[in-house]
Amino acid sequence: MEPTVQDVPESSRYEIRDGERVLGHAAYRREGGNVVFTHTEIDPGSEGTGVGGKLVRGALDDVRSRGERVVAQCSFVRGWIGKHPEYGDLVEGASA
């Protein structure tokens, strides 16, 4: 089964899950039309497997579908966007 990313608004985070098992999460807070990513954690057993990238991609795809913008306070999210310029337009302050 391929891990899936879902928004869990009651916990203010996106989670990546393999069935019932949470492999990682990206915490956020919403401010106006922005999603401020504050912290990302990946289960130690899943580090180095690409789960973090799948989590960020899924979260950013969801943000894009909602017409929101991103503030990447989290260094992992910021670094991932830096390596994937096709997501740079989501960053608050970037020219669209």
Side-chain angles (χ1 to χ4, degrees):
M1 175 183 249
E2 184 72 20
T4 59
V5 177
Q6 62 189 47
D7 186 10
V8 186
E10 61 274 13
S11 298
S12 297
R13 67 189 205 173
Y14 283 90
E15 293 179 348
I16 186 164
R17 294 177 163 265
D18 184 2
E20 291 299 309
R21 183 170 165 240
V22 176
L23 303 176
H25 70 269
Y28 67 79
R29 67 179 181 275
R30 283 196 153 78
E31 293 180 355
N34 294 329
V35 179
V36 182
F37 285 96
T38 57
H39 181 69
T40 301
E41 268 185 49
I42 301 300
D43 179 80
S46 296
E47 289 178 355
T49 64
V51 166
K54 287 178 185 171
L55 169 61
V56 174
R57 183 182 301 275
L60 295 181
D61 286 346
D62 186 64
V63 169
R64 185 185 305 276
S65 75
R66 296 171 191 246
E68 297 173 314
R69 305 281 287 192
V70 169
V71 177
Q73 289 182 347
C74 168
S75 60
F76 185 84
V77 173
R78 189 169 49 250
W80 192 92
I81 292 170
K83 293 176 186 167
H84 298 85
E86 66 273 22
Y87 286 88
D89 63 307
L90 290 176
V91 177
E92 178 59 31
S95 54

